[in-house]
Amino acid sequence: MDFSWDAEQQAFRSTVRNFLATHLPPDWESQAHGPGSASQSAFSKKFCAKLAAEGLLVPHWPKRWGGRDADPWTAFILAEEMWEAGEPRGGQYMNVNWIGPTLMRCASPEQQERYIPPMMRGETIWCQGFSEPEAGSDLASLRTRADKHGDAYRINGQKIWTSYAGDADTCFLLARTSPGRDGISIFLLPMNTRGITVRQIPSVIGEGDIHEVFFDEVEVPASAMLGAEGKGWEIVRTALSLERVGIPRFALATRMLHRAVDKLKQSGRFGHGAVEQAAKARAACEAARFYSYSIVDQRRHGVATGAEASVARFATVMAERSVGEFVVEHVPEAISGADTLLLAHHQRAIVAGIASGAAEIQLNLIATDFLKLPREPR
Amino acid sequence: MDFRLTSDQESLLDAVNKIALEFAAKPTEFHGFALVGNQLEQELQDGEFFDIAQVPEFGPVAAALAVERLARLPYAVEAALSMLVRPHVEGELPRPFAIVENGRPGRFVATAKTILVIDGDNVGVAHPAPDQVESVESLFAYPMGKLRAGVKTTPLPSGDAAQVRKWIRIALAAEASGLLQAAIDSTVDHLTQRKQFGRPLGAFQALRHRMAECAVLAGGVRWLALKAASTGDEGDAALAALHAQESATRVIYDVHQMLAAMGMTLEHSLHLWTYRLKALQSELGGRGGQATAIAQHVFGAAPK
């Protein structure tokens, strides 16, 4: 077991850090824009295009799609550095982590030619049309319908809590083509299609982060379907397993914990209660880090990851929670505007257990698939 | 980063596992507080397993994995201090090892040949004669003993003392990792078999979620212990020990709740793991002690 970075990994991390130092504006950390705000989306397109030009947007993708087949550690080091820097890629991190790879696996050649090149050039934003007012954790009960009319599907329904929808070019949409889990299909839907209305939901998470999306007689050609009809659930389950350890939240949480502790030390306030709480939070961050690394290590060696990914995700949620609670108790002025970066982290951290699926669903998976406890009756 | 074991380490752990399997079950007739593994001790001694950390092909990570594996047994054996701390004390000191902290009873003290005597920031080494130690009755599932007054203690230089404290933390975390996992495994068995309200207890979400959280904590302790064993870093050691003691606090309560009255009996094995964990909770100042070390080594606060 080797817990150190090899020379190549260290060099890659330095390259990414140098890139960030060169291309992030000097006032980047004092900008209080939300992760899905118009200003952030516009910035992400310029920033990701530069990343792409340097070969740093999708290094782990195949050569054919602008990558260099780099190993999963490269992708994860990149993700750590980006998230720790406040995720300047905005919503485009989803393209890199799972939307692109899912299209490579399941999309038709025409769909791949249409959608992957703009992703690998860093110039397009996607949103995920998953949750609905009546289908959150119980995603398979979604009601948005896609009815076939000749060579087209007509989509009617509503999505909610949709991140990045305000500026998204394309929606990765789950819709129902028939009853049951086998009746869920995926559509790659341009957001400028007639009949789509997006409404931002004001939130504590920050400007532009969550939205309602309404579909009123939205017509798409049958060629917009990803994979076969009724295979949506299968495809999305695999895609979301990539997302479970997709965001290295522990990286920014650790940095913010040290930032908060430094503030306390400077003002002589790093005393008994704070020391113990900070130490526990730091341990939680470190546990989340190595859980996540263990998943990357499994991917690196071609081992299928199962419920361990849920364990890693839950450990990350606990780490975010402990840092968030530390800041609120010991550096509360950050929440009132005294530190834009701590505030931005707080806003991201509070959704750690909610975004990409409620953490309690992960606990169910851990109980059943990891501990092998008897299933709950349904 | 590469978390695979070398083939040497794998063979070593297979060998440890083979021995461990002989001692996997508590003898049915045993109803005591601490199940002392004298025969297990002998087998480990015969196979020279207490020296594996010093063998370059194995190293401290393999030793930590062995400590963890042995801690999952219902038997208590002095492996953690011998395997992980002893290599860092000057001289070829005889084992078993024990710790006496601030004059309190400690695990394995009555049979130890070398005792690490911790008094505040000072660490000394003592080799007591048999009449200078005595056994102590305790709920803890280690054989507990205390040191009589007047035993000669040789103080360690402060650098060596820091080294010893660091490896005690790593040993504690590796042992706690195995104990936590065994306690959870035992509880999962109970929740799978025991039926109430017409279904297994493990099918109730309120219990499932708590057990899942316990599993997350236990696995975290394991990763931090292995990392600290690998880096030998002061901060990593303190983080591992803190996470172990913090997780023990939470997990012990939950697993005893799940087993309820059954877990209170000496017929069931649960206490053999939880009451070893409870003994580890206070070591090196408990959570506050580890936090102070973390403040210094991780957050760069001035040493106390």
Side-chain angles (χ1 to χ4, degrees), chain B:
Chain B
M1 300 285 160
D2 191 335
F3 300 148
R4 288 175 304 178
L5 296 176
T6 64
S7 55
D8 286 337
Q9 290 172 327
E10 272 183 15
S11 329
L12 172 84
L13 290 164
D14 283 347
V16 172
N17 196 44
K18 207 171 152 201
I19 295 176
L21 289 173
E22 297 171 39
F23 298 91
K26 173 179 85 68
T28 335
E29 70 281 8
F30 177 79
H31 293 159
F33 291 111
L35 179 57
V36 183
N38 290 329
Q39 197 193 331
L40 171 61
E41 154 96 23
Q42 192 57 51
E43 291 199 24
L44 293 169
Q45 183 74 48
D46 293 346
E48 298 180 4
F49 286 98
F50 293 115
D51 299 319
I52 55 180
Q54 296 99 303
V55 179
E57 290 77 13
F58 304 142
V61 170
L65 286 164
V67 166
E68 181 202 37
R69 177 66 186 93
L70 295 168
R72 280 158 50 199
L73 300 175
Y75 290 86
V77 64
E78 194 289 285
L81 298 176
S82 285
M83 286 188 188
L84 289 163
V85 182
R86 192 172 52 116
H88 301 280
V89 188
E90 196 69 31
E92 293 275 313
L93 300 182
R95 66 168 303 280
F97 264 48
I99 299 173
V100 169
E101 199 174 349
N102 301 325
R104 297 190 303 235
R107 47 192 170 120
F108 302 107
V109 168
T111 50
K113 298 223 167 59
T114 299
I115 296 184
L116 299 167
V117 182
I118 300 175
D119 200 356
D121 288 338
N122 303 316
V123 180
V125 175
H127 301 290
D131 63 349
Q132 291 177 310
V133 289
E134 61 183 293
S135 294
V136 172
E137 284 292 319
S138 170
L139 292 190
F140 290 134
Y142 288 111
M144 299 297 284
K146 69 178 179 188
L147 202 53
R148 294 201 173 113
V151 179
K152 181 174 169 270
T153 302
T154 312
L156 293 178
S158 66
D160 293 2
Q163 187 80 346
V164 164
R165 283 172 176 282
K166 176 177 82 182
W167 283 97
I168 290 175
R169 290 191 168 105
I170 296 170
L172 179 164
E175 182 152 3
S177 164
L179 295 170
L180 287 163
Q181 285 178 33
I184 290 169
D185 289 347
S186 170
T187 307
V188 166
D189 282 347
H190 175 76
L191 295 176
T192 305
Q193 287 154 18
R194 170 96 169 149
K195 285 187 179 166
Q196 291 287 276
F197 307 103
R199 56 176 154 130
L201 286 176
F204 289 91
Q205 193 177 66
L207 309 188
R208 291 162 58 80
H209 280 196
R210 278 166 70 181
M211 287 311 295
E213 291 198 43
C214 288
V216 174
L217 290 171
V221 172
R222 181 172 188 272
W223 280 112
L224 296 194
L226 294 177
K227 188 205 175 197
S230 171
T231 64
D233 175 79
E234 299 255 24
D236 287 342
L239 287 168
L242 173 63
H243 204 52
Q245 292 176 329
E246 173 74 3
S247 303
T249 308
R250 163 73 190 273
V251 172
I252 291 167
Y253 177 78
D254 276 359
V255 294
H256 272 288
Q257 281 302 113
M258 307 277 163
L259 265 95
M262 218 166 289
M264 296 291 132
T265 68
L266 296 180
E267 289 166 8
H268 198 282
S269 304
L270 186 67
H271 72 102
L272 296 175
W273 296 294
T274 55
Y275 272 80
R276 271 185 280 168
L277 280 169
K278 286 194 190 203
L280 298 182
Q281 282 182 292
S282 62
E283 290 200 352
L284 290 186
R287 291 174 288 177
Q290 317 319 328
T292 304
I294 290 165
Q296 184 186 340
H297 297 294
V298 179
F299 292 116
K304 294 233 160 197

Side-chain angles (χ1 to χ4, degrees), chain A residues 265-348:
Chain A
K265 276 162 52 186
Q266 282 157 20
S267 56
R269 290 186 289 152
F270 193 45
H272 280 301
V275 163
E276 192 160 331
Q277 203 179 338
K280 286 178 188 173
R282 188 64 178 74
C285 288
E286 201 65 355
R289 185 155 88 96
F290 280 91
Y291 262 131
S292 301
Y293 285 178
S294 73
I295 302 299
V296 179
D297 187 63
Q298 288 184 346
R299 285 182 190 158
R300 166 73 184 79
H301 299 301
V303 178
T305 52
E308 293 95 337
S310 298
V311 180
R313 161 99 200 277
F314 197 81
T316 300
V317 171
M318 291 298 100
E320 280 280 44
R321 175 180 165 184
S322 55
V323 174
E325 288 173 353
F326 178 79
V327 171
V328 164
E329 184 169 343
H330 298 284
V331 196
E333 61 272 26
I335 310 303
S336 305
D339 187 319
T340 335
L341 197 55
L342 283 178
L343 174 63
H345 170 252
H346 176 88
Q347 289 178 296
R348 287 170 191 204

Side-chain angles (χ1 to χ4, degrees), chain A residues 39-115:
Chain A
S39 60
Q40 165 66 64
S41 293
F43 176 78
S44 85
K45 287 190 177 176
K46 284 190 233 158
F47 181 82
C48 289
K50 289 180 197 161
L51 270 176
E54 298 285 329
L56 293 174
L57 186 64
V58 290
H60 57 298
W61 285 14
K63 285 198 180 69
R64 183 184 168 207
W65 299 118
R68 54 179 174 89
D69 292 302
D71 75 6
W73 283 114
T74 305
F76 205 69
I77 290 168
L78 180 65
E80 279 187 318
E81 292 300 320
M82 289 296 151
W83 188 257
E84 195 178 321
E87 194 48 278
R89 298 174 302 180
Q92 289 199 54
Y93 85 88
M94 292 197 300
N95 306 358
V96 173
N97 281 9
W98 68 267
I99 300 178
T102 302
L103 296 197
M104 287 170 213
R105 208 175 51 247
C106 308
S108 67
E110 294 74 25
Q111 289 170 332
Q112 291 182 344
E113 285 302 336
R114 176 174 178 185
Y115 289 116

